[in-house]
């Protein structure tokens, strides 16, 4: 269980390498990553969203997250699910993102 | 599904529109059309259609085929139909212009240019209306921004219908009493539906979403937004139904429906302005990007134009000032907003095209790394300043000053277009972040839809 949690944390960290191109900040600090978990088979399950439903970058963000997670040693596979429940709001951004945007 | 929301043809529409804008501005500098010629002269009709159809309508259609799928979260019903609609629209516009030049005394043979042009424009726009309308229909229920777009498309259909009537009458295909009366009296309705119903309502709808997206402001649907929509819809109905009823049934000119529509449009735009200010205030992005700063100038032109229209109407000066006011709406509000948003949209589309497939695989630039706002800012400021001077010169009847200001507008627009080309050619991206694969570089006028590498 601890191994899975550590692996999930590694995946979470590597997702910081994927940026939201419009905002220019990584998708974790923008608040687009809702959940990361690792199942018994070592499959990483990422639940994420986009800043707006129908965003033209959706498939690129989804694929980018999958590719980044796949690079983590120990991850056997990656499943990325896009959800709009709850919808993203600017209030979901981290303090880091708020500081970068001037707030 | 990758790239399904990236329109292949949007940039072709933008490039065609910008070419028409530059030609229109060259005509302004040359003293062709208003204010050097009368408002109802064939020369002014050439200029008006070049700007309203060639520039603003192609710009709007290009933006809609990209953003309607975003507004309704559904792919475009017919992704390649815009490729057929574009040449039809351009050919129709060229034919209409030849028809107007023929009216001005230039001989282009006996062909029915006006009528053929009307048919070409109707076919081109009908294809886009069908495509966008079907996309929204399959996504019901649609949100507020998309409902504005639907209202704008309905207005466009009204504009096209009246345009067909006018072209068949002026071209001599029809001498029916009904169409002759419409042609002689419904031109203000045609113009109001085009500039107000089609272009402004659609710009309002799209900007509700774009302002929220680009400033990171909450996308709440406010009561004032609904009032803006319903008041705009009522103005549209009064123009489309009340105008012809007034002319054909009551045998009166359409002054009253136009005045009623102006009151409702004022209510609608006041609510929109209130919402826009609210979006600026509620934004999470403290330092505004150039596109949203310049959009604020365009919004200012809209507010000023509306205020001056009300004052001119109340003081009985509307007939004398309508040309200058239309100029302010077309170039200050619609063109100003269009150029500002293009600066962002072209960068965003280019980023998606070049770097989307690389996301998560290698470092990618931000969208903002594709632009250099400091270089282009003085040209945007020159553009808005020269529009203000030209509008005032048109109002006060100073044609030399007007043409000098138009020359400044042309210089600014031309330089902004150069910046668009630089964005497309990745001139501002640092060398390590340039695409490694030669095939990933963008083409200037046509978006590539690259497959994902996995």
């Amino acid at each position: 269980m601890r191994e899975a949690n550590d692996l999930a944390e590694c995946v979470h960290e590597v997702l910081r390498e994927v940026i939201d191109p419009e905002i220019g900040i990584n998708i974790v600090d923008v608040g687009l990553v809702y959940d990361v978990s690792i199942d018994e088979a070592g499959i990483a399950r990422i639940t994420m969203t986009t800043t707006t439903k129908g965003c033209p970058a959706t498939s690129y963000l989804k694929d980018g997250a999958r590719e980044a997670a796949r690079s983590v040693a120990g991850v056997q596979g990656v499943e990325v699910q896009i959800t709009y429940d709850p919808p993203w709001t600017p209030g979901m951004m981290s303090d880091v993102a708020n500081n970068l945007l001037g707030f | 599904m990758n790239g399904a929301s990236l329109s292949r043809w949007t940039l072709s529409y933008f490039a065609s529109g910008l070419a028409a804008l530059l030609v229109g501005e060259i005509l302004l500098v040359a003293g062709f059309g208003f204010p050097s010629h009368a408002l109802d002269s064939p020369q002014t009709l050439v200029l008006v259609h070049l700007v309203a159809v060639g520039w603003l309508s192609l710009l709007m259609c290009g933006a809609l085929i990209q953003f309607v799928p975003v507004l309704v979260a559904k792919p475009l019903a017919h992704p390649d139909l815009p490729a057929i609609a574009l040449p039809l629209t351009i050919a129709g516009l060229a034919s209409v212009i030849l028809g107007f030049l023929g009216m001005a005394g230039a001989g282009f043979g006996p062909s029915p240019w006006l009528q053929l042009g009307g048919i070409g424009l109707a076919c081109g726009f009908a294809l886009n209306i069908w495509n966008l309308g079907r996309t929204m229909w399959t996504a019901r229920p649609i949100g507020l921004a998309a409902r504005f777009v639907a209202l704008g498309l309905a207005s466009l259909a009204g504009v096209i219908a009246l345009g067909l009537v006018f072209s068949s009458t002026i071209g001599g295909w029809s001498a029916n009493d009904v169409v002759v009366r419409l042609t002689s009296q419904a031109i203000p309705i045609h113009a109001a539906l085009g500039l107000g119903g089609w272009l402004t309502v659609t710009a309002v709808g799209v900007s509700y979403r774009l302002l929220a997206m680009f400033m990171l402001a909450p996308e709440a649907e406010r009561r004032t937004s609904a009032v803006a929509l319903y008041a705009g819809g009522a103005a549209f109905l009064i123009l489309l139904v009340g105008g012809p009823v007034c002319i054909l049934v009551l045998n009166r000119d359409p002054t009253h429906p136009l005045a009623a529509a102006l009151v409702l449009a004022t209510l609608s735009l006041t609510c929109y302005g209130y919402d826009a200010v609210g979006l600026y205030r509620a934004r999470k992005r403290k330092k505004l990007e150039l596109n949203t700063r310049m959009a604020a100038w365009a919004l200012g032109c809209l507010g000023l134009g509306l205020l001056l229209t009300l004052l001119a109407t109340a003081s009985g000066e509307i007939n004398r000032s309508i040309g200058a006011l239309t100029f302010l709406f077309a170039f200050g509000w619609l063109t100003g907003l269009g150029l500002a948003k293009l600066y962002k949209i072209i960068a965003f589309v280019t980023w998606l095209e070049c770097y989307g497939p690389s996301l998560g695989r290698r470092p990618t630039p931000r969208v903002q790394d594709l632009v250099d706002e400091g270089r282009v800012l003085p040209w945007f400021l020159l553009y808005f300043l020269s529009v203000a001077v030209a509008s005032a010169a048109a109002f006060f009847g100073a044609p030399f000053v007007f043409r000098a200001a138009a020359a400044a507008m042309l210089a600014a627009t031309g330089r902004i277009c150069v910046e668009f080309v630089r964005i497309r050619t990745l001139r501002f991206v640092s060398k390590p972040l340039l695409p490694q694969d030669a095939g990933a570089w963008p083409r200037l006028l046509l978006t590539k839809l690259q497959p994902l590498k996995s």
Side-chain angles (χ1 to χ4, degrees):
Chain A
M1 189 63 188
R2 187 174 171 186
E3 272 183 22
N5 285 342
D6 289 347
L7 204 51
E9 188 55 37
C10 288
V11 170
H12 200 261
E13 278 307 302
V14 83
L15 291 179
R16 291 184 191 275
E17 294 171 13
V18 181
I19 63 161
D20 178 293
E22 207 288 300
I23 302 175
I25 298 172
N26 71 76
I27 59 175
V28 174
D29 282 320
V30 173
L32 300 183
V33 178
Y34 285 174
D35 186 55
V36 176
S37 64
I38 308 290
D39 69 11
E40 298 84 1
I43 307 292
R45 299 186 191 282
I46 301 167
T47 305
M48 62 179 288
T49 191
T50 58
T51 52
T52 184
K53 198 174 179 183
C55 171
T58 302
S59 54
Y60 297 123
L61 287 166
K62 186 178 176 182
D63 189 65
R66 183 189 300 118
E67 283 303 306
R70 193 179 282 170
S71 69
V72 175
V75 169
Q76 302 301 316
V78 184
E79 287 183 13
V80 183
Q81 187 188 3
I82 298 287
T83 182
Y84 293 97
D85 183 20
W88 180 85
T89 66
M92 292 177 177
M93 291 191 293
S94 71
D95 291 342
V96 172
N98 281 323
N99 288 335
L100 287 170
L101 290 169
F103 276 84
Chain B
M1 284 298 289
N2 181 48
S5 295
L6 193 57
S7 165
R8 184 188 294 272
W9 306 106
T10 286
L11 287 166
S12 309
Y13 276 73
F14 289 167
S16 307
L18 287 166
L21 173 63
L22 290 169
V23 173
E25 289 178 344
I26 289 170
L27 293 182
L28 288 174
V29 177
F32 187 92
F34 176 83
S36 301
H37 294 91
L39 267 181
D40 57 354
S41 67
Q43 289 88 344
T44 299
L45 291 175
V46 169
L47 186 63
V48 164
H49 286 80
L50 197 57
V51 173
V53 178
W55 157 233
L56 293 170
S57 294
L58 287 184
L59 166 75
M60 201 60 80
C61 286
L64 290 180
I65 59 177
Q66 177 62 62
F67 281 102
V68 162
V70 177
L71 295 180
V72 301
K74 287 263 185 186
L76 204 59
H78 307 285
D80 287 324
L81 205 54
I84 302 168
L86 179 61
L88 275 173
T89 310
I90 292 173
L93 175 63
S95 186
V96 162
I97 286 174
L98 287 179
F100 288 138
L101 290 174
M103 287 165 61
F108 295 103
S111 298
W113 297 115
L114 275 181
Q115 300 94 309
L116 291 177
I119 292 167
L121 287 175
C123 291
F125 283 126
L127 289 180
N128 275 326
I129 292 173
W130 163 256
N131 198 6
L132 296 164
R134 189 152 179 252
T135 304
M136 287 192 283
W137 183 261
T138 57
R140 287 168 298 148
I142 56 175
L144 181 97
R147 278 180 273 161
F148 273 99
V149 173
L151 179 58
L153 291 175
S155 298
L156 176 59
V159 177
I160 292 168
L162 284 173
L164 278 173
V165 167
F166 299 163
S167 62
S168 69
T169 311
I170 297 169
W173 275 6
S174 176
N176 178 288
D177 177 56
V178 169
V179 296
V180 169
R181 281 158 65 198
L182 274 179
T183 302
S184 64
Q185 298 204 339
I187 289 172
I189 296 173
H190 179 66
L193 276 176
L195 200 63
W198 156 229
L199 293 167
T200 293
V201 167
T202 309
V204 164
V206 172
S207 68
Y208 263 119
R209 191 69 176 270
L210 288 185
L211 286 174
M213 277 172 63
F214 293 154
M215 293 193 296
L216 300 177
E219 287 188 47
E221 291 193 3
R222 302 164 178 83
R223 185 174 291 179
T224 41
S225 312
V227 173
L229 176 69
Y230 293 130
F236 159 73
L237 282 176
I238 286 174
L239 283 175
L240 194 69
V241 179
V245 164
C246 213
I247 294 166
L248 300 175
V249 180
L250 303 177
N251 289 317
R252 300 173 70 163
D253 67 42
T255 302
H256 289 101
L258 282 167
L262 176 61
V263 171
L264 287 164
T266 303
L267 173 63
S268 175
L269 292 173
T270 303
C271 289
Y272 164 66
Y274 176 81
D275 290 341
V277 171
L279 286 170
Y280 274 88
R281 282 186 174 159
R283 73 183 190 273
K284 273 284 189 179
R285 181 170 254 153
K286 189 176 181 185
K287 187 174 183 304
L288 286 177
E289 293 175 344
L290 180 127
N291 78 89
T292 39
R293 274 182 285 155
M294 295 304 107
W297 282 84
L299 284 163
C301 290
L302 173 66
L304 179 64
L306 189 62
L307 184 65
L308 293 174
T309 302
L310 292 172
L311 288 174
T313 305
S315 61
E317 289 285 312
I318 190 67
N319 286 336
R320 190 176 80 83
S321 55
I322 191 67
L325 290 170
T326 304
F327 183 89
L328 181 60
F329 277 116
F331 286 96
W333 156 235
L334 292 166
T335 301
L337 183 74
L339 290 173
K341 289 300 162 193
L342 275 183
Y343 194 71
K344 180 73 180 189
I345 293 168
I346 290 173
F348 193 43
V349 168
T350 304
W351 188 96
L352 289 173
E353 192 181 341
C354 295
Y355 295 104
S358 302
L359 203 58
R361 293 175 171 82
R362 69 184 192 92
T364 54
R366 305 165 306 155
V367 173
Q368 274 304 91
D369 295 329
L370 272 64
V371 302
D372 185 345
E373 294 188 346
R375 288 171 62 101
V376 81
L377 176 63
W379 298 99
F380 268 103
L381 295 179
L382 175 64
Y383 176 81
F384 280 107
L385 178 67
S386 51
V387 166
V389 172
S391 302
F395 180 78
F396 291 111
F400 180 76
V401 177
F402 178 88
R403 289 172 66 179
M409 283 170 60
L410 175 63
T413 309
R415 186 53 197 265
I416 291 168
C417 288
V418 169
E419 293 300 307
F420 292 157
V421 172
R422 286 183 166 142
I423 293 171
R424 283 297 289 167
T425 50
L426 306 178
R427 285 286 291 276
F428 305 119
V429 178
S430 62
K431 206 170 178 183
L433 294 176
L434 288 171
Q436 294 168 338
D437 178 4
W441 280 74
R443 285 178 295 211
L444 193 60
L445 304 179
L446 196 65
T447 307
K448 284 183 194 171
L449 305 183
Q450 291 190 62
L452 285 173
K453 291 168 183 167
S454 60

